[in-house]
Amino acid sequence: MMFALWAGKTFPVLGAERSNPNIVNIVNFIRLLEPRDPKITEEVLYETVVNQVKLMDAYNLKGTFLLQYDALMDRRYQKLLGGLPKDQYEIGAWWEIPQPLVEKAGLKWRGRYPWDWHADVGFATGYTPEEREKLVDVYMADFKAVFGDYPKSVASWFIDAHTLNYLYEKYHIVASANCKDQYGTDGYTLWGGYWNQAYYPSKINSYMPAQTVENQTPVPIFRMLGSDPVRQYDTGVGHNRQGVITLEPVYRFGGGDKEWVDWFFRELVEGESMEFAYTQAGQENSFTWDAMARGLEIQFPLIAKLRDEGKLEVQTLGESGAWFRENYKLTPATAVTVKDDLGDSKLKTVWFNSRFYRTNLLWEEDGTLRIRDIHLFNEDFPSIYTTGVTTTNECQFFTLPVVDGYLWSDQERLAGLRLKAVISGEEVSITGGTPVIRSRKRGRLDISWPLTNVPGTLIMVLTEDALHVALKGNNQLAWFFELDVPKQESLPFKDIEKQTVTGVFEGYQYSVQALVGGFSESVGQTGTFRILPHKNVIKLDLATDIQKQ
């Protein structure tokens, strides 16, 4: 194994021996028009794409351009993109629904403009399953007429399961992508899902990872936009929508800031990912070249440099989809890890994802640990959009909450599972030093956290379907996790029993079982619980069954 240096640190270099690559997709999607701003003309949008191509060519970067239907049918984009080298560029579909596509499919346009971003008009969720198939057929026929073959990649902020299955079964797409987790942004909520990298979705819920081959659509859905693993989750707590802290080049704090970009890619290549690290760069042309140029001129040279040094693999979206399909029959367990935060911050975090659940651990500035998120996945939990039609300008995709540090928080107090102990009759928060995070075995993440205000080391093992916690080196400490929730009216729990906590969410019952240790109701907080160890060990079963209520 070869190693390289970055800021005095060592990490493995990509090569024949490396099995967990660091993958970057550059994805730019294209709209023909932008009705929200009269200054953003069709020519401005076209020149944005021209400049994106020039900059990618300058650094010999692979990339994917995804075309909304009206842009697909425009001769300028046909000529520009049709002339690009196929070994460098992939042309695919951006699945927002504009007026020309609707009318060519024989349907009535209900939008305010020729392209309308509302969920009941501009997305497949606003059309019946039969209408969605007509829209797909028209797009695919015209795409093939222009470019000679069907697209391999079809992406959108969100795609319903019926459309995704149809695209796979009839047109054999190999990759898709949807929006990062967000709450309320632009009216679109995707909350509690597989946090990064990619997953195989349930056949009845495109946002929900499937647990079995039989019930999954075998098209990996990659998560877009490159979220800040530390700050994105909590931004906007107490409000109706989140802020945005991502790799998108238009954001001054985020993808348009050199210090942030350097930090983001450093943690991407150095952090423990278990299987593969992933991020998506690029930007839709609606933001215009003037707004994105600075950020892309920061990012693209760095991506090219890291590629040339063997630290990143730059792929098209279709290549990543084919690689995922070749390597995984089921959604793998992966992680996103930040060991050294931006600037003087001492925050550290781990996002763990599997086909059964996701969780997020945050080590805070005061040395404490907060498990700020646990959401469970079940392939039998349906999305209303698979067969139903939305009649509002918003849409919502959820999974099954056990801990929600965003929705259950307020501006004064952040929700989460906090590690505590009873010392001399008083409850004390446990503090620690720097956690050691590594994956010794496929599907398993090991965390060792040396404690500072009490003797001992907390050992956490995250596996595909369970969470194991043990305290080593201190047999006398009365320790436990407590779910601290300021917004108790949001809680889904209906029963807290010694071995099981049961919740009901959107009409479905689910549970978490303690295989070792147990639960008790919290003191002074209605509807919350403590997790208590047995002989210094806790083990939670996070593979849940569901029942419709």
Side-chain angles (χ1 to χ4, degrees):
M1 175 78 73
M2 296 185 296
F3 287 82
L5 261 181
W6 185 333
K9 301 176 183 179
T10 59
F11 55 93
V13 172
L14 286 175
E17 296 179 356
R18 185 182 174 94
S19 60
N20 52 332
N22 303 316
I23 297 172
V24 174
N25 292 157
I26 298 174
V27 178
N28 303 301
F29 60 87
I30 302 171
R31 300 185 180 112
L32 177 69
L33 49 87
E34 179 47 77
R36 293 170 288 192
D37 186 343
K39 294 186 223 178
I40 303 178
T41 64
E42 289 186 20
E43 187 62 27
V44 168
L45 294 172
Y46 174 74
E47 288 301 321
T48 297
V49 180
V50 169
N51 283 307
Q52 288 173 328
V53 172
K54 286 180 180 177
L55 191 61
M56 294 169 73
D57 279 345
Y59 293 99
N60 193 29
L61 289 169
K62 285 187 174 184
T64 300
F65 285 95
L66 302 177
L67 286 158
Q68 193 169 283
Y69 181 79
D70 49 7
L72 167 68
M73 302 310 293
D74 186 271
R75 293 298 299 273
R76 290 168 297 180
Y77 291 111
Q78 292 175 3
K79 182 178 179 181
L80 173 66
L81 301 181
L84 297 178
K86 292 185 178 180
D87 60 346
Q88 181 178 353
Y89 292 101
E90 175 192 17
I91 313 302
W94 180 249
W95 205 246
E96 291 177 342
I97 313 298
Q99 184 174 358
L101 177 58
V102 170
E103 292 180 343
K104 189 164 184 180
L107 308 176
K108 182 179 179 181
W109 178 246
R110 297 173 278 108
R112 301 164 296 166
Y113 315 102
W115 168 66
D116 190 329
W117 54 94
H118 283 178
D120 57 336
V121 175
F123 294 86
T125 49
Y127 302 85
T128 68
E130 294 76 15
E131 290 171 337
R132 296 171 203 173
E133 293 180 9
K134 291 179 181 179
L135 294 168
V136 169
D137 289 342
V138 168
Y139 186 101
M140 288 297 189
D142 284 342
F143 188 99
K144 187 174 184 180
V146 172
F147 292 110
D149 207 346
Y150 296 127
K152 297 297 184 184
S153 299
V154 181
S156 182
W157 297 127
F158 47 92
I159 299 180
D160 64 280
H162 183 88
T163 298
L164 196 66
N165 282 317
Y166 189 70
L167 285 164
Y168 166 70
E169 291 173 357
K170 185 169 183 178
Y171 297 101
H172 312 298
I173 68 168
V174 301
S176 187
N178 65 10
C179 187
K180 67 173 177 61
D181 257 41
Q182 63 179 33
Y183 194 86
T185 309
D186 296 326
Y188 317 142
T189 292
L190 298 88
W191 194 249
Y194 197 101
W195 192 79
N196 196 60
Q197 281 98 327
Y199 65 95
Y200 289 125
S202 162
K203 287 182 178 179
I204 62 171
N205 189 337
S206 58
Y207 186 61
M208 180 71 75
Q211 288 73 57
T212 63
V213 169
E214 294 76 20
N215 292 318
Q216 71 185 15
T217 300
V219 175
I221 297 180
F222 292 84
R223 304 307 304 271
M224 297 171 65
L225 305 181
S227 286
D228 185 316
V230 177
R231 280 159 287 272
Q232 173 62 46
Y233 187 84
D234 286 335
T235 184
V237 161
H239 299 279
N240 292 329
R241 64 187 60 195
Q242 280 190 311
V244 179
I245 307 175
T246 69
L247 189 59
E248 293 172 272
V250 296
Y251 292 111
R252 290 299 178 185
F253 183 69
D257 178 80
K258 186 178 187 308
E259 182 182 6
W260 188 94
V261 170
D262 287 345
W263 163 80
F264 181 87
F265 278 101
R266 184 193 73 204
E267 294 302 307
L268 179 77
V269 302
E270 289 187 9
E272 176 62 71
S273 63
M274 301 179 65
E275 290 289 332
F276 70 102
Y278 176 82
T279 196
Q280 190 179 107
Q283 190 83 72
E284 69 262 42
N285 62 341
S286 293
F287 277 103
T288 78
W289 183 249
D290 285 346
M292 72 179 71
R294 180 178 180 273
L296 292 183
E297 287 164 357
I298 292 169
Q299 293 180 28
F300 285 3
L302 177 60
I303 291 171
K305 177 177 180 289
L306 296 174
R307 175 204 59 197
D308 294 344
E309 293 172 353
K311 300 168 190 173
L312 289 179
E313 295 185 14
V314 183
Q315 301 177 347
T316 66
L317 183 56
E319 287 174 338
S320 295
W323 174 86
F324 192 96
R325 288 268 301 274
E326 183 179 343
N327 282 274
Y328 305 112
K329 292 184 179 179
L330 290 164
T331 299
T334 64
V336 177
T337 305
V338 172
K339 298 182 292 182
D340 296 295
D341 196 18
L342 190 63
D344 296 328
S345 169
K346 298 178 182 178
L347 297 173
K348 299 171 178 59
T349 198
V350 171
W351 285 93
F352 175 89
N353 305 278
S354 78
R355 59 195 161 110
F356 293 100
Y357 72 101
R358 82 173 193 187
T359 188
N360 178 242
L361 284 61
L362 182 71
W363 287 269
E364 301 191 288
E365 295 281 3
D366 61 0
T368 60
L369 168 65
R370 177 165 61 106
I371 301 178
R372 61 178 173 175
D373 189 278
I374 301 176
H375 278 77
L376 307 182
F377 305 147
N378 187 288
E379 63 193 15
D380 296 323
F381 184 78
S383 167
I384 60 173
Y385 306 121
T386 301
T387 57
V389 176
T390 185
T391 57
T392 73
N393 62 355
E394 298 187 356
C395 73
Q396 296 180 330
F397 293 87
F398 292 107
T399 60
L400 302 167
V402 176
V403 178
D404 196 317
Y406 180 77
L407 294 180
W408 300 350
S409 297
D410 61 27
Q411 290 176 288
E412 285 73 44
R413 200 160 104 238
L414 296 175
L417 280 169
R418 298 182 184 274
L419 184 60
K420 299 181 180 181
V422 177
I423 301 175
S424 301
E426 293 187 8
E427 290 186 9
V428 176
S429 294
I430 294 178
T431 60
T434 300
V436 176
I437 304 159
R438 56 187 172 180
S439 179
R440 295 185 179 96
K441 182 179 179 182
R442 173 167 271 190
R444 168 175 161 162
L445 186 67
D446 296 276
I447 301 169
S448 176
W449 185 40
L451 306 181
T452 53
N453 64 339
V454 295
T457 300
L458 194 76
I459 305 297
M460 304 183 74
V461 179
L462 306 176
T463 60
E464 278 199 314
D465 58 0
L467 169 62
H468 312 242
V469 186
L471 179 60
K472 302 294 185 181
N474 190 337
N475 293 325
Q476 307 303 316
L477 190 67
W479 62 278
F480 57 93
F481 282 97
E482 176 135 49
L483 181 60
D484 183 22
V485 177
K487 294 174 67 173
Q488 294 170 29
E489 68 279 5
S490 303
L491 294 173
F493 309 119
K494 79 171 196 177
D495 289 309
I496 298 171
E497 301 173 336
K498 185 175 180 181
Q499 298 305 130
T500 307
V501 171
T502 302
V504 175
F505 182 76
E506 295 203 338
Y508 284 83
Q509 179 176 295
Y510 59 101
S511 63
V512 175
Q513 183 180 3
L515 302 177
V516 180
F519 302 100
S520 69
E521 293 189 22
S522 294
V523 177
Q525 290 194 88
T526 303
T528 68
F529 56 81
R530 290 180 174 181
I531 310 175
L532 307 169
H534 175 67
K535 295 183 179 180
N536 265 357
V537 175
I538 292 169
K539 182 178 179 181
L540 302 181
D541 181 359
L542 298 177
T544 188
D545 293 325
I546 62 171
Q547 290 182 331
K548 187 170 177 58
Q549 296 295 286

